């Protein structure tokens, strides 16, 4: 309201403004609006320390059946950008082409995704009393019953997906509801649980509770140099020992590439190693990267910025205020 009344010229907010606020401000006289590429992502994480998240085939199956493009295009009306890897599409030299299950399932319809997901589980030794069926694209699948892991493990009942509620982030909340339904169509008892942001952080970053959850959804904003995969997935950074690796992902092959990445002497060498890390993550899927919302901002026309086309928006640009002019 103060901005609309002309009492302030620009509001610094690393998340930008929400879409409805942006739409209101866009019609306010004397207000300029901006849309920039973000540098971060929203993601779905599985706890790889405990079953069933510990099973790669399970993670691949749910990644296949979740139709991100349908949710983004048909439900969210294209207001966000789909992501498969962790690196912003604006960093074109670093982006790794999608590989593995993610690429194989991308063009499949809902029946094809369900059938492919069931096949992934079956090929990995999962069993079921009845594998169910998918009647057609306009309906939900009839899920498998009595599903068990390769060693006869029975998946837990009432597994929760902790996700921000609609008041904090309607985008992730909507995604969580669809994800829970997709996973239920594979025969797993999963429920989306709207949860306060700080509560989710307290749950998944608590070293003593690192085995006490199954799934959650949060997001990361990352730095301009795309080295975040090391912090998020190197085994030495497990949350159980005080790091940022919330899924407890542990893959010696990934660790070796991550160590080489940190020791890289040139950008070209670092890019090649980054591509290798992404390829491993496309296969192992401790995170299912979902989408990224654009950074939308507004400022009064009497403010003069040196430039406005910038990765992650004006609010996230270090030392920008010293170059800004506010005219009378």
């Amino acid at each position: 309201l103060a901005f609309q009344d002309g009492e302030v010229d620009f509001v610094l907010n690393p998340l930008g403004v929400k879409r409805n606020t942006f739409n209101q401000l866009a019609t306010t006289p004397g207000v300029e609006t901006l849309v920039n590429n973000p540098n971060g992502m929203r993601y779905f994480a599985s706890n790889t320390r405990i079953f069933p998240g510990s099973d790669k085939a399970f993670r691949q199956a749910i990644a296949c059946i979740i139709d991100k493009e349908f949710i983004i295009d048909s439900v969210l009306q294209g207001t966000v950008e789909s992501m498969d890897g962790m690196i912003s599409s604006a960093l074109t030299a670093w982006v790794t082409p999608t590989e593995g299950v993610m690429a194989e399932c991308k063009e499949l319809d809902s029946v094809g995704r369900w059938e492919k997901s069931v096949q992934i589980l079956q090929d990995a030794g999962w069993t079921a009393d009845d594998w169910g069926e998918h009647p057609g694209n306009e309906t939900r699948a009839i899920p498998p019953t009595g599903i068990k892991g390769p060693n006869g493990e029975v998946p837990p009942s009432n597994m929760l997906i902790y996700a921000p509620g609609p008041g904090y982030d309607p985008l992730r909340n909507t995604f969580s509801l669809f994800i829970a339904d997709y996973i239920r169509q594979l025969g797993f008892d999963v429920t989306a649980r709207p949860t306060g942001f700080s509560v989710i952080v307290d749950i998944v970053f608590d070293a003593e509770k690192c085995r006490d959850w199954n799934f959650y959804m949060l997001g990361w904003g990352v730095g301009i140099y795309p080295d975040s995969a090391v912090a998020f997935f190197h085994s030495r950074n497990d949350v159980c020992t005080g790091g940022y690796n919330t899924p407890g992902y542990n893959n010696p092959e990934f660790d070796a590439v991550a160590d080489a990445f940190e020791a890289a002497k040139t950008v070209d060498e670092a890019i090649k190693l980054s591509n290798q890390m992404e390829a491993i993550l496309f296969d192992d899927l401790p995170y299912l990267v979902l989408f990224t919302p654009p950074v939308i901002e507004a400022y009064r026309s009497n403010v003069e910025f040196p430039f406005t086309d910038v990765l992650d928006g004006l609010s996230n640009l270090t030392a920008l205020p010293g170059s800004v002019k506010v005219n009378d």
Side-chain angles (χ1 to χ4, degrees):
L1 291 175
F3 183 89
Q4 286 179 308
D5 291 341
E7 296 175 18
V8 296
D9 300 298
F10 182 72
V11 179
L12 293 169
N13 184 340
L15 299 178
V17 298
K18 292 187 176 181
R19 178 66 64 173
N20 60 343
T21 305
F22 178 80
N23 292 338
Q24 291 176 344
L25 295 175
T27 61
T28 302
V31 172
E32 304 291 335
T33 55
L34 291 172
V35 179
N36 276 300
N37 283 325
N39 193 18
M41 76 290 190
R42 306 293 188 265
Y43 64 91
F44 170 87
S46 299
N47 194 334
T48 68
R49 308 174 188 90
I50 60 174
F51 185 79
S54 57
D55 185 87
K56 182 166 75 170
F58 169 80
R59 301 194 301 270
Q60 291 180 337
I62 63 175
C64 180
I65 197 173
I66 294 170
D67 191 343
K68 296 186 293 184
E69 282 66 33
F70 169 77
I71 301 172
I72 290 170
D73 295 337
S74 299
V75 181
L76 302 182
Q77 303 299 307
T79 56
V80 297
E81 175 188 347
S82 178
M83 289 184 73
D84 294 330
M86 296 180 55
I87 297 175
S88 169
S89 60
L91 299 175
T92 53
W94 291 81
V95 174
T96 307
T98 305
E99 300 180 13
V101 167
M102 299 293 294
E104 295 167 8
C105 298
K106 188 175 289 289
E107 301 303 324
L108 298 178
D109 61 15
S110 60
V111 176
R113 284 176 176 270
W114 183 83
E115 291 176 343
K116 174 73 172 177
S117 297
V118 168
Q119 190 65 53
I120 290 170
L121 294 172
Q122 290 175 335
D123 290 347
W126 286 71
T127 61
D129 296 337
D130 183 339
W131 279 104
E133 62 177 319
H134 202 307
N137 282 322
E138 302 302 319
T139 60
R140 296 177 73 257
I142 299 171
T145 57
I147 195 165
K148 294 180 181 179
N151 298 312
E153 308 98 322
V154 177
S157 60
N158 195 28
M159 293 183 288
L160 299 179
I161 302 173
Y162 294 109
Y168 181 84
D169 186 354
L171 300 175
R172 273 176 287 187
N173 179 257
T174 299
F175 248 96
S176 71
L177 299 175
F178 276 87
I179 288 175
D181 185 61
Y182 282 127
I183 299 176
R184 283 197 294 270
Q185 291 181 58
L186 290 176
F188 298 95
D189 185 11
V190 175
T191 302
R193 173 67 57 83
T195 308
F197 176 85
S198 60
V199 176
I200 301 175
V201 171
D202 289 343
I203 292 171
V204 302
F205 284 95
D206 188 329
E208 296 182 358
K209 299 178 181 178
C210 61
R211 298 177 61 87
D212 294 348
W213 55 271
N214 289 105
F215 315 106
Y216 77 89
M217 291 177 62
L218 281 179
W220 286 109
V222 297
I224 191 67
Y225 183 69
D227 59 352
S228 55
V230 179
F232 299 155
F233 301 115
H234 198 295
S235 62
R236 68 168 182 261
N237 296 322
D238 195 317
V239 159
C240 295
T241 57
Y244 291 101
N245 179 355
T246 54
Y249 178 65
N250 189 334
N251 182 339
E253 179 189 3
F254 178 87
D255 286 355
V257 178
D259 291 339
F261 172 85
E262 290 189 307
K265 302 299 183 183
T266 67
V267 171
D268 286 343
E269 182 185 1
I271 289 175
K272 291 177 182 178
L273 292 164
S274 175
N275 292 163
Q276 292 178 36
M277 287 193 291
E278 284 274 78
I280 295 170
L281 295 173
F282 279 139
D283 186 53
D284 283 349
L285 295 165
Y287 279 5
L288 174 61
V289 181
L290 300 171
F291 68 91
T292 186
V295 180
I296 50 181
E297 299 174 295
Y299 63 95
R300 303 201 70 81
S301 55
N302 63 307
V303 180
E304 184 179 343
F305 294 99
F307 45 81
T308 56
D309 185 9
V310 56
L311 178 63
D312 221 21
L314 295 170
S315 295
N316 292 292
L317 193 61
T318 303
L320 177 67
S323 303
V324 177
K325 296 179 181 178
V326 180
N327 302 313
D328 294 334

